[in-house]
Amino acid sequence: MSETAREIEELAAASYEYGFSTDLDTDIAPPGLTEDTVRLISGKKNEPEWLLDWRLSAFEAWQSMKEPDWAKLEIAPIDYQGLSYWAAPKQKPVLESMDDVDPEIRDMFDKLGIPLHEQKMFSNVAIDAIVDSVSVTTTFKATLAEAGVIFCSFSEAVRDHPELVREHLGSVVPVRDNFFAALNSAVFSDGSFCYIPAGVRCPMELSTYFRINSQNTGQFERTLIVAEDDSHVSYLEGCTAPQRDENQLHAAVVELVAKDRAEIKYSTVQNWYPGDENGVGGIYNFVTKRGRAHTDAKISWTQVETGSAITWKYPSVILQGDRAVGEFYSVALSSKRQQADTGTKMIHIGADTTSSIISKGISAGRGQNTYRGLVKVLRSAENARNYTQCDSLLLGSDCGAHTIPYIEVKNPSAQVEHEASTSTVGEDQLYYCRQRGMTEEDAMSMIVNGFCREVFDELPMEFAVEAQRLLSVSLEGSVG
Amino acid sequence: MTTVAPTSPIEYPTRHDERWRYAPHDLLGRLSFGPPSASADKIPGPIGAQIPALDGPLIVIVNGVVDERWSNLTAIPDGLRLSTLADASADPAVPVVAHFNPDVDGAADVFMALNTTFGVDGAFVDVAEGQKLDAPIHIVDVAIPDETSNTSCTGVVIHLGADSSATIVETRLGGSEAFGGSNTRTTITLDDHSTLEHIVLQDMPSTQVHLGRVEVTQHAGSALRARSFNLGAIYGRLAYDVHLAGAGAHTDLSGLYYGAGEQTLDQQITVIHTAKDCTSRQSYRGVLDDESAGVFNGGIDVRPGADGTDAEQHNDNLLLSNRAEANTQPRLEILADDVACKHGATVGQLDANAMYYLRTRGIPAADARRLLVNAFADQAVDDIGIDAVRTWVRDRLGTPDA
């Protein structure tokens, strides 16, 4: 493929469209992580005693844990003591309306193409914008309140709904779950909380935009979504970050609880700074996402991962109740020197539980893309069913695509299928398209978008558009 | 055979080692190793009946040392050198060591080191350039645990010269019910355009452990057809590391593991493509009854520059009991772009509709079940090229009754 080398060079040269940084006055804690840091964070946020204790137990657990090394990732050592664990924009804590939002922050969102002042035109979408660690603005609260839906920042939830937070926090991802989850539990700054009462169908798509802004500041969001019996919610999360030369650490935890017959749909478009073609800069993204699905409940994860220098992320579903359903749809793109080790875990506990996994990995430049997944059928999971499909596309000869699934079945009535393929965009496919009068760039874009189609179809409309845009931006200049 | 002391302190694998994730570590810890003890008069009579009768040269290794009385090395055709590994190692004209493969994928483990340290004998097969051998060569390894070291170590070195062809059967058995096991290491080098059919029959007693390792280096245009039947032992492990080092080499690996009781049957397969235009096929089937566990960890590694690779891998498992389990991990690690790689894995139980159909035709449940299980397993048995081996496997599989 003679064009490939040039395509890849151009792909690598495509600049990060969202690479800018806004000068915000931030209140930053000195670098380092000790018990005092944990107390400081908790104190800054006026947290109750039980939450401080919970953080401290996580911190204690974290100290005895080791960074996981099983992923197919080459990571320069992270100096956890060299980071600052607290940063808050200095501004009025409570805002009455959009107009009160810091103009610099508003401007930043404008550059991202998600202008806050136009968000009302966004059909029915409430945005809880987070800059660094503190929730800046929350909208559409009235509409949600009418339906009884609680959607607020994590800090507000701790203040206003402590009983709900206390009941569910750590119930899906315990503090000792893994190194990064423990770290997050100890120092999480803020995040989103969402509660859908029984029988309620959330009247709008919920979305949060996370954004890392300050240098040397890890961001540790915590998201908790609780959907009571017979409720329904669709949650969107999108991320972009400004260009920086230093690696930034991000360790988030997302917990979903879907009670009987409830449904949670969680969609992510992640486009943090991936670093340059030499692997300088870029976000380290270590995320623990997990949901617990009770009887007849459904949890669906959809992710489009195009950013970050390092992605370590396995959105999972514990299919606890009978007939629970878990889904995972993923597109992961690694170009430049990006490394992604991502996949899912489906733990079948209840009878007649079903899960499906569709994963599409695209490797270009010198990117390394790994699908790592676990499908576990426990003895109790009578008639469990899983279908997994993992496809990888290689664009260039210096990249890598890896598929590492684990399938563990302890019940004979289970039916588990796994299929995977790895291939490249064929010369013949491109030739065919060009013969039909398409430019090489259009042809490549069409083939890649076609490859991802099954996943894009699962995204809510606005995100599907953004995802396609992201993909074409990433592939821009890679052909033609 | 050159003995090499382990270079680092002995560290047993743990559950955190990917390749040993599902192994019974308590049993592995009870294996003991040492220099082979004299094996004279030890071989028990009934073992003879277990050995498939093939027409061709036979070499029998007991506790890691060749037993000439059981072996048949009289009718060696021209162009074949078949001897004990000890003899071959002692002959300066035979570069035995040259056939030991470099550790291409870092898969070396403590049991390999122990094998190299304590193994002194085994079989050496060298087929001259251009020779086409008709009769299968049969290598039988028998382990009879004793108190000082309960695990035997055997080496098998196979070299096929350019344009030659051969069929080799390796049968692994145990000669007593005492706890212990065998640790075998087979090293195969296939020169340009040679063709080998290699069959492993593992049928150790259900009180013993078998650790079998086959390392293959294939040069340009060579072809390997490897068949393995992992049937016996409380823990039966067959590891294959196949390195496709020459352009246009082809490897076709398939196997059947059939577990009952409390057996764990483990297949660790890695095919490494480093040369252009090679093809590889992996097809493994597991039938798991009672409380048995099956493990399949199969990898396709395509290294940079291995363009034109065409690789496929399949693993299908049939669970026959509520307490049986299947663990499968089909890995793809691809670092070249002009490739076509596929893998698939399934786990399921007997088709209820097929059972129902057979029963409506008046076939008793137990027979119907056996019919269906045999039909599933037969895909791995059907293409065995040697009648006597095929019959042996069918007889062996006929025994586990419904």
Side-chain angles (χ1 to χ4, degrees):
Chain A
M1 202 167 162
S2 58
E3 292 294 310
T4 313
R6 187 161 55 83
E7 284 159 18
I8 300 312
E9 263 169 44
E10 286 170 21
L11 172 71
S15 68
Y16 181 67
E17 194 179 273
Y18 304 135
F20 56 85
S21 74
T22 312
D23 286 328
L24 276 181
D25 226 359
T26 48
D27 165 20
I28 296 180
L33 179 53
T34 61
E35 204 180 296
D36 289 339
T37 321
V38 178
R39 287 181 190 281
L40 172 89
I41 294 168
S42 192
K44 285 251 187 203
K45 298 168 68 62
N46 297 316
E47 285 175 355
E49 192 68 25
W50 64 266
L51 190 52
L52 174 63
D53 290 344
W54 191 79
R55 283 177 182 274
L56 289 172
S57 71
F59 178 69
E60 196 190 329
W62 179 75
Q63 282 180 303
S64 64
M65 293 168 102
K66 280 205 174 83
E67 236 176 285
D69 59 0
W70 39 259
K72 218 178 173 59
L73 300 172
E74 279 173 32
I75 309 171
I78 299 168
D79 178 10
Y80 293 95
Q81 296 302 338
L83 295 166
S84 169
Y85 289 84
W86 172 258
K90 273 183 192 161
Q91 59 174 28
K92 284 176 278 179
V94 185
L95 296 170
E96 300 298 322
S97 73
M98 294 295 165
D99 301 335
D100 294 338
V101 175
D102 189 326
E104 272 190 87
I105 295 175
R106 276 210 319 247
D107 193 41
M108 189 159 76
F109 281 106
D110 285 344
K111 286 187 197 166
L112 288 174
I114 320 130
L116 268 179
H117 64 268
E118 283 180 8
Q119 64 167 285
K120 280 166 192 161
M121 288 162 62
F122 250 43
S123 52
N124 242 13
V125 177
I127 295 177
D128 177 15
I130 288 183
V131 167
D132 277 29
S133 312
V134 170
S135 180
V136 180
T137 182
T138 306
T139 52
F140 287 103
K141 271 203 165 159
T143 322
L144 294 172
E146 229 168 84
V149 173
I150 302 168
F151 179 43
C152 59
S153 74
F154 208 91
S155 321
E156 284 173 293
V158 169
R159 194 184 63 216
D160 302 335
H161 310 281
E163 69 300 334
L164 284 174
V165 175
R166 200 169 178 178
E167 183 187 344
H168 297 289
L169 180 67
S171 69
V172 186
V173 180
V175 291
R176 296 191 150 270
D177 191 80
N178 67 70
F179 182 85
F180 297 109
L183 177 65
N184 174 286
S185 302
V187 301
F188 72 89
S189 36
D190 209 332
S192 298
F193 175 78
C194 182
Y195 178 84
I196 321 292
V200 170
R201 193 179 171 90
C202 187
M204 61 183 70
E205 305 261 2
L206 300 179
S207 102
T208 305
Y209 281 87
F210 298 109
R211 187 152 175 83
I212 295 175
N213 192 43
S214 297
Q215 218 161 353
N216 270 332
T217 309
Q219 186 160 1
F220 306 92
E221 312 90 355
R222 188 97 198 175
T223 303
L224 175 58
I225 299 176
V226 180
E228 289 287 358
D229 294 356
D230 303 288
S231 65
H232 175 281
V233 63
S234 171
Y235 189 92
L236 297 76
E237 171 202 71
C239 324
T240 49
Q243 188 155 347
R244 291 288 187 196
D245 275 332
E246 278 171 69
N247 291 306
Q248 288 183 300
L249 176 68
H250 182 96
V253 172
V254 177
E255 292 179 283
L256 310 182
V257 180
K259 299 275 183 71
D260 295 357
R261 298 169 301 282
E263 183 176 342
I264 301 177
K265 186 172 170 59
Y266 195 105
S267 314
T268 307
V269 173
Q270 187 265 108
N271 182 31
W272 282 328
Y273 179 51
D276 66 14
E277 55 276 14
N278 298 316
V280 177
I283 302 298
Y284 285 12
N285 189 20
F286 301 97
V287 187
T288 307
K289 288 184 167 176
R290 194 175 305 149
R292 188 186 298 280
H294 292 270
T295 306
D296 290 303
K298 178 177 174 183
I299 290 179
S300 175
W301 296 103
T302 306
Q303 62 174 24
V304 176
E305 303 277 328
T306 59
S308 291
I310 306 271
T311 302
W312 180 98
K313 180 177 174 185
Y314 315 91
S316 310
V317 184
I318 301 168
L319 299 152
Q320 180 143 13
D322 293 351
R323 296 173 299 282
V325 177
E327 291 177 342
F328 176 74
Y329 299 94
S330 168
V331 166
L333 171 81
S334 313
S335 63
K336 299 193 172 78
R337 289 231 179 196
Q338 282 176 278
Q339 306 174 63
D341 195 300
T342 183
T344 183
K345 289 193 268 186
M346 294 289 175
I347 317 287
H348 293 257
I349 300 171
D352 302 303
T353 46
T354 56
S355 62
S356 49
I357 299 170
I358 307 286
S359 166
K360 306 282 179 180
I362 303 165
S363 308
R366 305 177 73 167
Q368 295 290 332
N369 205 321
T370 304
Y371 167 83
R372 185 184 302 275
L374 169 69
V375 174
K376 190 167 190 161
V377 178
L378 299 182
R379 250 182 246 306
S380 54
E382 206 64 35
N383 297 315
R385 182 84 176 84
N386 163 267
Y387 175 73
T388 302
Q389 190 190 331
C390 300
D391 296 319
S392 304
L393 195 62
L394 288 152
L395 307 173
S397 53
D398 295 325
C399 52
H402 317 287
T403 313
I404 308 180
Y406 294 78
I407 302 165
E408 303 181 0
V409 182
K410 292 180 197 262
N411 187 309
S413 60
Q415 221 184 320
V416 178
E417 287 172 77
H418 174 100
E419 273 186 279
S421 73
T422 303
S423 55
T424 185
V425 175
E427 192 105 52
D428 48 342
Q429 287 171 300
L430 281 175
Y431 180 75
Y432 180 86
C433 293
R434 299 217 51 197
Q435 213 188 18
R436 294 292 180 277
M438 293 177 78
T439 65
E440 198 160 348
E441 187 167 34
D442 287 348
M444 186 63 105
S445 177
M446 187 186 78
I447 291 166
V448 172
N449 269 300
F451 176 76
C452 302
R453 185 65 182 265
E454 276 170 281
V455 176
F456 287 165
D457 282 352
E458 291 299 318
L459 286 169
M461 180 68 142
E462 312 84 276
F463 268 43
V465 172
E466 192 172 337
Q468 287 196 11
R469 197 160 64 90
L470 269 182
L471 216 58
S472 44
V473 164
S474 306
L475 290 167
E476 208 167 73
S478 67
V479 265
Chain B
M1 183 166 159
T2 325
T3 57
V4 182
T7 48
S8 53
I10 288 180
E11 254 183 60
Y12 272 67
T14 68
R15 267 179 216 295
H16 299 291
D17 293 294
E18 291 286 315
R19 288 163 194 266
W20 297 89
R21 195 174 154 98
Y22 305 101
H25 296 273
D26 51 332
L27 292 179
L28 295 177
R30 285 168 56 204
L31 296 176
S32 58
F33 294 86
S37 47
S39 65
D41 307 326
K42 266 189 160 179
I43 200 159
I47 261 292
Q50 254 184 286
I51 300 175
L54 308 182
D55 286 333
L58 170 69
I59 190 158
V60 178
I61 303 148
V62 180
N63 279 357
V65 178
V66 172
D67 189 320
E68 306 268 356
R69 294 165 307 165
W70 284 76
S71 304
N72 175 11
L73 300 172
T74 51
I76 307 290
D78 288 342
L80 168 66
R81 174 172 177 144
L82 176 62
S83 72
T84 69
L85 190 57
D87 286 350
S89 302
D91 184 346
V94 184
V96 169
V97 175
H99 295 303
F100 280 104
N101 294 314
D103 181 22
V104 274
D105 69 334
D109 58 52
V110 65
F111 297 105
M112 248 173 96
L114 287 164
N115 180 288
T116 318
T117 308
F118 294 117
V120 296
D121 200 4
F124 179 71
V125 181
D126 189 1
V127 182
E129 200 178 309
Q131 288 296 324
K132 314 269 185 204
L133 300 180
D134 294 324
I137 299 162
H138 195 187
I139 301 165
V140 180
D141 184 73
V142 182
I144 308 169
D146 69 35
E147 303 79 40
T148 50
S149 65
N150 62 24
T151 310
S152 65
C153 292
T154 301
V156 174
V157 175
I158 297 167
H159 172 237
L160 265 65
D163 300 303
S164 66
S165 72
T167 302
I168 297 172
V169 180
E170 289 194 55
T171 304
R172 284 98 187 247
L173 301 167
S176 89
E177 295 295 313
F179 177 77
S182 58
N183 176 359
T184 65
R185 182 179 180 191
T186 303
T187 301
I188 299 174
T189 309
L190 301 183
D191 285 354
D192 293 0
H193 305 289
S194 60
T195 305
L196 174 67
E197 170 148 5
H198 183 259
I199 300 171
V200 172
L201 306 171
Q202 189 279 107
D203 197 15
M204 304 273 291
S206 61
T207 47
Q208 298 184 4
V209 170
H210 177 68
L211 305 172
R213 218 186 133 73
V214 179
E215 296 157 38
V216 185
T217 303
Q218 288 189 240
H219 296 291
S222 64
L224 170 69
R225 229 166 78 96
R227 298 287 176 267
S228 68
F229 296 88
N230 200 358
L231 308 174
I234 185 70
Y235 176 56
R237 178 188 175 93
L238 293 177
Y240 284 78
D241 277 274
V242 179
H243 180 197
L244 298 169
H250 173 67
T251 201
D252 171 6
L253 312 175
S254 93
L256 174 71
Y257 44 104
Y258 198 132
E262 294 181 351
Q263 286 182 286
T264 298
L265 299 176
D266 195 340
Q267 347 296 311
Q268 299 283 329
I269 318 294
T270 305
V271 175
I272 302 167
H273 288 256
T274 55
K276 287 188 198 303
D277 302 319
C278 293
T279 54
S280 68
R281 297 288 180 270
Q282 297 176 39
S283 171
Y284 284 79
R285 300 206 140 202
V287 180
L288 301 154
D289 205 346
D290 302 331
E291 292 173 39
S292 65
V295 183
F296 174 79
N297 179 345
I300 299 173
D301 286 13
V302 181
R303 299 286 159 91
D307 291 328
T309 291
D310 177 351
E312 276 185 37
Q313 180 189 61
H314 297 280
N315 174 234
D316 300 301
N317 294 278
L318 188 56
L319 294 182
L320 296 179
S321 133
N322 285 329
R323 286 153 301 154
E325 68 178 75
N327 300 300
T328 169
Q329 196 195 338
R331 292 175 288 117
L332 293 178
E333 303 195 19
I334 317 292
L335 292 166
D337 69 332
D338 180 16
V339 297
C341 299
K342 277 198 279 195
H343 69 185
T346 62
V347 180
Q349 62 181 348
L350 288 177
D351 182 353
N353 289 332
M355 275 296 279
Y356 179 77
Y357 176 85
L358 291 172
R359 299 212 53 199
T360 59
R361 293 295 179 276
I363 297 169
D367 291 351
R369 185 173 185 257
R370 192 164 51 227
L371 266 175
L372 292 175
V373 171
N374 285 347
F376 176 84
D378 217 44
Q379 287 212 2
V381 183
D382 203 36
D383 72 342
I384 301 175
I386 307 166
D387 292 346
V389 174
R390 199 169 49 243
T391 307
W392 183 91
V393 173
R394 288 227 165 100
D395 286 351
R396 171 65 178 77
L397 294 182
T399 40
D401 224 325

